[in-house]
Every structure is written in C-alpha cells, then in structure tokens.
Amino acid sequence: KQEVTQIPAALSVPEGENLVLNCSFTDSAIYNLQWFRQDPGKGLTSLLLIQSSQREQTSGRLNASLDKSSGRSTLYIAASQPGDSATYLCAVRRDFGNEKLTFGTGTRLTIIP
Amino acid sequence: DGGITQSPKYLFRKEGQNVTLSCEQNLNHDAMYWYRQDPGQGLRLIYYSQIVNDFQKGDIAEGYSVSREKKESFPLTVTSAQKNPTAFYLCASSRQNTEAFFGQGTRLTVV
C-alpha cells in the first residue's frame, strides 16, 4: 500500500528566504506526482504536476523535483512571500489507468513578514 | 468560467438523516473524486469515477454512496450509516491520469 509522508508538519521562515518542502513515498512505481496548496477552509489549488519520466517542473518561483528511485520529491519556493503561507500537500498517482491519488498529510508553511 | 462547483458550502445534518453534497464540473473531465479531510489527517478517498455510470470505492466508502449519471455531475450522499460524518468534503476532477483540480469544499457538521 502506497504511503506518502511530508516532514516537517509545520515550518516557519522569514520573508525573502528560499525554502524546500519534502514529500516521500514508499512505492516508487508511480505515474505522476502533484503538488497543491490549501488555504484555511478552502479547496486545493494545483501548483505543479510532474510525470514519472521527468526530473523537475517549474512555475514561476516554484520548482518541483522528482527522484523516483529514492521515493522523494521536493518543492522549492524561491524568495518567499507572506502570501505563500498555506498548507502544501503532495499526491501520487500509482500507474496509468489507476486514477486514485494518495495524499500526504501536508506541511503548514508560515512566512514571517 | 471553467471549474468545479461544490454546494452547499456549509451543511448541517441531524442524527439519522441522509444528506447529499453536490459536485458539478464543466471541464469535460472523465474522472471525478470525493475526498474527506479531517484535522491533522491527509485527504482520504471515499469514491471515484473514471466514466459515466461507473464508480469505485475508495479507502473509506462505508456509509457513503455516489452516482455518476452525467459526466458533469458526481453527487455524494452521506447516509445515516456514517457514524462520524463531521468533516470537510472535497470533490475533484481530472482528465485521465493528468492534473487534478479541486472544488472549494463542503463543510458538513452533525447537530
């Protein structure tokens, strides 16, 4: 059974710093991995989708990397801003044709002005 | 605007009542999902559907039911058999094996 872990559960950093969020998964046979952010009381907003054949994806100040063999993904946020404060979740899809997404428990990020 | 619409935003259920949460999408996505989110826990899959008139149980399907009569709609019924229904419910959709998009959620409270 696939298990997805995100450590730490919470992180606080001063504004302007670069930071890395971690996502680990136990079964390396994944099709793709997706990063989301969630603001309090809201739904999830998709940030980046990275296919198993890719090593990284970039969108603005965000960069996601994927190392299937080690079961790890990282989300790098450059020049953090207070608006980046949210909970960040990763989810993996096991294989093509299997629509099920398995989520981590998230990292709650606070950017200190 | 294209997207996923969940309604209502807040829902209150009395003991023993069935309630239905609505989820509609106009993204022309084949797959739709229902997740439950509890404080301190990750999202847990209740049901998902890859095609009209077909759906599969997720990890916590007991006490829930769904239907998929139209591509755009995937309503979730929380039955009286669900003993602890208070939670935040999230609906999502995706094209096959691609990026998933979520609605804004329905917060269900038992009163």
Side-chain angles (χ1 to χ4, degrees):
Chain A
K1 179 185 174 185
Q2 177 73 274
E3 293 184 3
V4 181
T5 305
Q6 293 183 250
I7 296 173
L11 180 66
S12 295
V13 299
E15 180 179 0
E17 284 198 2
N18 304 326
L19 62 101
V20 174
L21 304 178
N22 299 299
C23 173
S24 299
F25 45 95
T26 55
D27 185 350
S28 62
I30 66 168
Y31 186 73
N32 56 39
L33 183 147
Q34 194 169 354
W35 281 94
F36 298 87
R37 70 172 279 168
Q38 185 178 30
D39 295 292
K42 303 292 186 182
L44 277 63
T45 299
S46 177
L47 298 174
L48 288 164
L49 174 74
I50 184 164
Q51 302 291 351
S52 62
S53 58
Q54 297 175 313
R55 296 284 294 181
E56 61 180 56
Q57 277 280 19
T58 298
S59 176
R61 294 183 295 110
L62 306 179
N63 177 280
S65 69
L66 176 63
D67 184 343
K68 267 184 57 175
S69 60
S70 66
R72 296 179 62 183
S73 176
T74 62
L75 180 67
Y76 174 85
I77 303 177
S80 59
Q81 303 170 359
D84 295 330
S85 296
T87 297
Y88 289 80
L89 300 109
C90 65
V92 300
R93 181 179 274 110
R94 189 176 184 278
D95 50 32
F96 187 85
N98 184 340
E99 291 291 344
K100 180 179 174 180
L101 282 168
T102 302
F103 279 83
T105 52
T107 295
R108 188 174 70 252
L109 176 65
T110 302
I111 305 301
I112 305 165
Chain B
D1 282 359
I4 301 171
T5 302
Q6 289 188 241
S7 62
K9 188 172 182 180
Y10 300 97
L11 186 58
F12 298 91
R13 191 194 94 165
K14 294 181 179 179
E15 295 282 351
Q17 247 184 0
N18 292 354
V19 291
T20 298
L21 284 61
S22 171
C23 179
E24 303 277 334
Q25 54 100 358
N26 60 5
L27 300 168
N28 199 32
H29 287 169
D30 291 309
M32 296 188 74
Y33 319 75
W34 275 105
Y35 286 89
R36 170 180 171 141
Q37 187 175 36
D38 295 280
Q41 297 194 39
L43 275 70
R44 293 183 289 169
L45 183 64
I46 304 172
Y47 271 97
Y48 66 105
S49 168
Q50 296 178 252
I51 196 169
V52 174
N53 291 322
D54 188 41
F55 47 83
Q56 288 77 41
K57 292 182 179 180
D59 300 317
I60 55 166
E62 185 175 350
Y64 299 97
S65 66
V66 293
S67 63
R68 187 85 187 277
E69 297 176 1
K70 299 187 299 181
K71 188 175 187 178
E72 303 79 17
S73 179
F74 192 41
L76 173 74
T77 297
V78 184
T79 75
S80 56
Q82 172 48 242
K83 297 307 178 188
N84 185 23
T86 294
F88 190 49
Y89 291 86
L90 289 158
C91 177
S93 72
S94 72
R95 283 203 176 92
Q96 190 177 38
N97 298 294
T98 62
E99 193 174 10
F101 295 91
F102 279 76
Q104 288 301 298
T106 293
R107 186 165 300 281
L108 173 64
T109 304
V110 175
V111 296

